[in-house]
Amino acid sequence: MEPLRTHQGIVCPLNLTNVDTDQIIPKQFLKRIERTGFGQFLFYHWRFDDNGKPRPNFPLNDSKYKNASILVAGKNFGCGSSREHAPWAVQDFGFKVIIAPSYADIFKNNCVKNGILAIQVSEEQVQAIMKKAESEKYTLTVNLEEQIVFDHEGFEIKFEIAPYSKQMLLNGWDEISVTLGNEEKIKQYELTQN
Amino acid sequence: MQTPKTIIQKIWEQHVVHQEEGKPDLLYIDLHLVHEVTSPQAFEGLRMTMRKVRRPDLTFATMDHNVPTRQRLVINDPISKKQIDTLQQNCQEFGVTLADIHHPDNGIVHVIGPELGLTQPGKTIVCGDSHTSTHGAFGALAFGIGTSEVEHVLATQTLWQAPPKTLNVKINGMLGTGVTAKDLILAIIGKFGVQFGTGYVMEYTGEAIRALSMEERMTVCNMSIEAGARAGLITPDETTFEYLRGRRHVPQGEAFDKAVAKWRALATDEGAAYDAVVEIDAAEVEPQVTWGTNPGMCIPITAAVPNPAEKEKPNERDEISRALSYMGLEAGQLISSVKIDHVFIGSCTNSRLSDLRKAAAVVRGRKVSPTVQAIVVPGSYSVKLSAEKEGLDQVFKEAGFEWREAGCSMCLGMNDDIVPAGERCASTSNRNFEGRQGNGARTHLVSPEMAAAAAVAGHFVDVRQFTAQEVG
Ligand code: SF4
C-alpha cells in the first residue's frame, strides 16, 4: 500500500446522502477476480444512461471536475454491502481522499486498508466545501500528519482520525505482516482454546 | 463483585489475543465463512505473498451469489462461471472445505452456517458479506468484512478491531397477530433510521424477541446492517439450544451439555450498562412495506406514501422526492393501491423453511394474479428438499409461483434473475437500493406473508385482513 501523507487535489461534489455501495459499484461489475480495473464502473448507473452515454448532470461527467481526486459527499457514505470493490472503484477512478459527515463502518475500514483517507467532519463543514466545489473549480490540500484540510484562501478545518488508521495510512503498512509479528501470541491463544 | 457485562463484552474479552496502547484489539476469529464474490482477490493476495490459510479447519466456503436457479449447473455467463471455478480452485489449493454448487450442503452462506451447526453462541464469526450479522441470532459476534480483511483472516485467523460501542435495542411487549419478525426489524429501522447503529454492536432484548423462533431471530439480526450496525445479536436461550441440538458441527451428547452451560453464561448480566438504548413498543408495529430506496423508508400497510412538501428540511424534501421519482410513486398515495409486477420470496433474510411455510399458508388454494410473475427461491438445498417433502413446492406451483433452485438470486440479480427496469417487485429480501434487483428495478421490502398476499392480490394488501376475510 502506498503511504499517504499530504495530498492536494480538485474537489468533486456529490451532494447525496446514504450513498450505498450498490450505487458506487453495481453488482454486474463484481464478477472480476482482480483488484484492478473497477474505476470505469464507478457510479455506473448515475454516470451513464441506459445506452451507455454519459449523463451530463452527473458531477463526475462535468469537465470542471476532470482529474478530481477528492470526493465530498453526504452522510452515511458507503452504506450497504461490504463489497471492497467500492473503494477499489473509488481509488481506481483517481480519488485519494473522501470527505463526508459520516461513513458506514465497513466501508470506512475498507478505505484504510486500501490507502484511501476517509475524512469525517461536521455536516456544516461538508456543506461549506460542497458549496465551494459546486460553484467553481476548487482545490483543497490535506495534511494527514497535522490532521488538517485547507485551501489557499484561508479556509482550514481540523479532523479527527483513529491513531491506528492514521499510522496505517502514513506508513502504507501491510497489515498482515504487522499481525504476523504477533504470531507467538496467536499461537498461545490457540493453545489455551484446546 | 465484578462489574456486570453485556454478552457483547463477554464474547469480546474471550477473543482478545493481544492488546496494545493506541491500537485496536487483535481479535481471534472462530469461524470464517467464504463465498465466491468477495474472496478471489484475497486468495490471490495469499498466493502472491506465499502465505497459507492458517486455519482451514475454521474456514468454510460456499457459492451462492452467482448460482443459477433454473438449472443449477448451467452457468451461461462466462464471468460468473469463472468466479465459481476460481473458488473451487482456491478451496482445493488452500485446503478449505467447500459446499460446492452440486453439494447437498450448498446454499446461501447465512442460511447454511446455522443449518450445519457451524454457527454457535459465543463464537466470533466473519464473512466478506455484510449480512453476516444474521449469525448474531445465536448469540455469536458476527460481522461482515471487506476483502482485505478476508485475506487477513485467512492468513492470521485474527482481525484488528476497535472494541465496539454497545446498543440495546429494547422491544417492549409482544407483536400483534399477523405481524412478523420482518415487520419488526423494518419498523425499527423506519423509526430510528438507517444509521443509528453505525459504530455499535446491537443487542436485541425484550419479551417479543424471546418469543421469536430461531429463524425469526435470524431475520431480525440479518437486517442489523441496514440500521448501520455491523453486528446485532440476541442472548442465547432454550430456543437457541434446541435449534442447535444434534446439528452436524455442534458438540454431541455430554459435550453438548457442557457447551450449553458455557453458552448460558454468556447472557448479559443483570444491570449491565450499554453505551446507548433505543426502545420500541412491539404492539405498535404493523405489517410494513418500504416505499423508497433504502430500508428506513418504510410505512405500515395502512399508511400513505410520504409527501415531501410536508417536510421542513430541504434535504429531507429532496431525498423523498428523489426516492419517489425513482420508485414511480405519487406523494400521498396509499401504499395498498400500488400494483406490483413481480414477487420474490427468498434471500438470506426470509428463505428458510418457516418463511416458506408461512408464505405457502397464504397462497394455498389461491392463484397468483395474472399480472404478476412470482418466484420462490429456497435459501439452501436442504431447505428446498424439506419444503418439497412437505409438499410446499406443490402449493406454490399450483398457485402459479415458479419453484426454483437455491441461491441469492433476485436479491441482487448477479445471476439471471433480474427485475426489468421500471417494473415493481414485492421482495422478502433486505435491500431496496436503486438498481439492487436490476437496473431501474423498483423494490418494495416486505415479509413472506405480505409478499404472498401481494402476489395473489396484484397489489399490496394487509395480510391480516386478507387471510381473515378469505378464510372466514
Ligand atoms: S441473499 Fe442477498 S443479501 Fe443475502 S447474501 Fe445473498 S446477495 Fe447478500
Side-chain angles (χ1 to χ4, degrees):
Chain A
M1 199 171 90
E2 264 182 47
L4 189 149
R5 299 186 160 264
T6 57
H7 176 75
Q8 186 173 60
I10 299 166
V11 181
C12 179
L14 184 65
N15 203 356
L16 293 170
T17 55
N18 299 319
V19 173
D20 58 78
T21 53
D22 272 82
Q23 306 318 317
I24 299 175
I25 179 104
K27 56 5 214 14
Q28 64 270 36
F29 307 118
L30 304 183
K31 297 179 186 177
R32 301 166 65 88
I33 56 170
E34 302 84 22
R35 268 175 193 258
T36 49
F38 289 99
Q40 52 188 316
F41 310 123
L42 179 68
F43 297 120
Y44 191 81
H45 293 300
W46 287 349
R47 243 165 90 205
F48 303 106
D49 66 16
D50 296 347
N51 303 316
K53 287 225 180 64
R55 298 182 195 267
N57 295 332
F58 192 65
L60 268 70
N61 293 329
D62 188 329
S63 59
K64 204 163 46 194
Y65 308 121
K66 200 161 178 256
N67 300 324
S69 58
I70 300 178
L71 183 68
V72 52
K75 67 169 199 268
N76 200 22
F77 189 79
C79 59
S81 158
S82 59
R83 57 188 73 164
E84 198 164 314
H85 312 68
W88 292 337
V90 167
Q91 188 170 49
D92 192 48
F93 190 84
F95 291 111
K96 296 203 158 36
V97 175
I98 311 174
I99 303 177
S102 57
Y103 300 88
D105 291 335
I106 303 178
F107 181 82
K108 201 169 165 187
N109 268 348
N110 284 342
C111 282
V112 178
K113 314 280 169 190
N114 287 282
I116 302 170
L117 173 58
I119 296 178
Q120 190 162 348
V121 291
S122 75
E123 194 102 39
E124 292 72 38
Q125 290 167 330
V126 166
Q127 278 312 318
I129 297 171
M130 193 81 77
K131 278 225 177 73
K132 279 264 194 192
E134 278 174 342
S135 59
E136 60 184 20
K137 185 163 166 180
Y138 184 51
T139 303
L140 278 176
T141 309
V142 177
N143 183 327
L144 177 55
E145 188 73 64
E146 306 281 322
Q147 298 179 212
I148 48 170
V149 179
F150 57 95
D151 68 11
H152 63 275
E153 288 172 336
F155 171 86
E156 181 179 311
I157 47 178
K158 212 161 161 45
F159 63 89
E160 295 300 318
I161 181 169
Y164 180 69
S165 303
K166 182 173 171 178
Q167 288 311 314
M168 285 271 298
L169 289 163
L170 285 174
N171 298 302
W173 278 334
D174 167 23
E175 202 180 32
I176 298 179
S177 306
V178 176
T179 309
L180 289 175
N182 290 298
E183 192 162 7
E184 270 314 307
K185 298 211 170 86
I186 302 175
K187 274 194 193 139
Q188 271 167 24
Y189 179 89
E190 284 173 331
L191 284 175
T192 62
Q193 296 307 298
N194 296 323
Chain B
M1 215 186 90
Q2 275 202 328
T3 352
K5 287 177 186 155
T6 65
I7 177 171
I8 303 163
Q9 293 162 314
K10 290 185 191 180
I11 300 177
W12 193 273
E13 286 170 8
Q14 288 173 9
H15 289 84
V16 173
V17 171
H18 173 64
Q19 263 172 333
E20 191 179 321
E21 184 71 24
K23 266 191 169 183
D25 294 346
L26 189 63
L27 205 65
Y28 199 80
I29 303 302
D30 295 325
L31 174 64
H32 185 190
L33 300 167
V34 171
H35 69 68
E36 80 274 22
V37 182
T38 54
S39 66
Q41 295 86 353
F43 283 112
E44 184 57 25
L46 293 186
R47 219 173 271 124
M48 277 161 38
T49 46
M50 317 249 286
R51 288 174 179 139
K52 287 196 181 71
V53 174
R54 181 182 178 87
R55 295 292 302 266
D57 56 323
L58 302 182
T59 313
F60 189 93
T62 185
M63 35 189 67
D64 47 11
H65 285 64
N66 280 286
V67 302
T69 58
R70 285 177 207 272
Q71 281 179 296
R72 265 186 105 56
L73 302 180
V74 187
I75 306 174
N76 294 321
D77 178 350
I79 324 180
S80 281
K81 172 118 181 29
K82 184 154 183 217
Q83 210 163 53
I84 295 231
D85 293 346
T86 304
L87 183 61
Q88 279 164 345
Q89 286 156 12
N90 284 333
C91 287
Q92 204 169 22
E93 182 180 337
F94 290 94
V96 172
T97 309
L98 168 69
D100 211 338
I101 194 160
H102 43 67
H103 194 282
D105 290 342
N106 182 268
I108 305 175
V109 62
H110 312 307
V111 176
I112 64 171
E115 244 171 36
L116 297 171
L118 288 164
T119 305
Q120 291 167 21
K123 278 192 182 182
T124 46
I125 303 178
V126 297
C127 173
D129 194 286
S130 60
H131 291 104
T132 308
S133 59
T134 313
H135 308 264
F138 291 80
L141 183 67
F143 52 93
I145 56 178
T147 299
S148 296
E149 290 174 313
V150 169
E151 186 179 336
H152 192 279
V153 178
L154 289 173
T156 70
Q157 205 56 35
T158 62
L159 273 179
W160 295 96
Q161 295 286 309
K165 291 183 287 176
T166 56
L167 170 61
N168 181 3
V169 181
K170 206 169 155 199
I171 296 122
N172 299 317
M174 296 294 283
L175 291 171
T177 330
V179 181
T180 67
K182 181 67 162 284
D183 301 314
L184 173 63
I185 187 64
L186 281 173
I188 291 172
I189 302 167
K191 181 163 178 176
F192 302 108
V194 290
Q195 215 192 342
F196 80 97
T198 304
Y200 292 97
V201 169
M202 311 202 292
E203 181 183 350
Y204 299 94
T205 62
E207 208 186 337
I209 292 292
R210 290 285 140 231
L212 297 179
S213 70
M214 278 323 293
E215 300 198 343
E216 291 168 327
R217 292 180 190 184
M218 286 188 243
T219 300
V220 172
C221 290
N222 173 274
M223 290 190 73
S224 305
I225 183 68
E226 269 32 272
R230 287 175 79 183
L233 52 69
I234 293 173
T235 283
D237 58 14
E238 294 312 314
T239 309
T240 323
F241 309 143
E242 278 321 303
Y243 177 98
L244 288 171
R245 188 189 294 278
R247 291 194 184 255
R248 196 191 307 164
H249 290 274
V250 171
Q252 312 287 334
E254 225 174 277
F256 182 74
D257 298 333
K258 270 205 194 131
V260 168
K262 235 173 69 193
W263 294 339
R264 256 187 236 286
L266 292 168
T268 291
D269 297 329
E270 189 75 34
Y274 297 84
D275 294 302
V277 184
V278 297
E279 291 189 55
I280 187 168
D281 275 328
E284 76 186 33
V285 176
E286 292 188 75
Q288 302 283 312
V289 184
T290 63
W291 58 267
T293 50
N294 72 48
M297 294 174 161
C298 65
I299 47 175
I301 177 66
T302 49
V305 172
N307 186 345
E310 288 167 8
K311 298 286 166 186
E312 266 173 40
K313 292 195 195 136
N315 52 358
E316 233 176 295
R317 281 201 292 267
D318 290 351
E319 211 178 354
I320 295 178
S321 306
R322 197 184 152 92
L324 287 180
S325 133
Y326 180 86
M327 293 299 290
L329 296 173
E330 302 282 334
Q333 175 181 7
L334 274 179
I335 195 75
S336 57
S337 70
V338 176
K339 291 204 172 64
I340 54 161
D341 310 296
H342 298 264
V343 168
F344 168 59
I345 297 179
S347 90
C348 58
T349 317
N350 280 127
S351 64
R352 298 181 179 83
L353 188 59
S354 61
D355 296 312
L356 304 191
R357 280 185 189 146
K358 288 172 192 165
V362 175
V363 301
R364 193 183 295 272
R366 297 192 169 102
K367 290 278 179 227
V368 170
S369 158
T371 57
V372 172
Q373 235 186 326
I375 65 171
V376 184
V377 182
S380 69
Y381 189 67
S382 145
V383 169
K384 180 169 184 270
L385 281 189
S386 311
E388 287 172 356
K389 254 195 211 142
E390 291 181 17
L392 299 183
D393 57 326
Q394 284 311 321
V395 176
F396 283 116
K397 283 195 261 188
E398 274 160 25
F401 277 85
E402 281 179 59
W403 179 252
R404 297 284 188 84
E405 300 283 342
C408 291
S409 177
M410 207 180 262
C411 173
L412 93 166
M414 265 187 89
N415 63 0
D416 314 325
D417 305 333
I418 284 174
V419 177
E423 296 192 11
R424 199 177 290 289
C425 182
S427 177
T428 65
S429 54
N430 43 48
R431 287 191 175 134
N432 50 342
F433 296 152
E434 283 182 32
R436 172 80 178 180
Q437 295 189 293
N439 181 25
R442 294 164 172 163
T443 302
H444 297 266
L445 304 177
V446 286
S447 71
E449 291 90 323
M450 286 286 285
V456 173
H459 57 90
F460 292 108
V461 287
D462 191 336
V463 68
R464 293 171 301 185
Q465 282 168 17
F466 185 81
T467 24
Q469 210 178 54
E470 303 270 328
V471 174

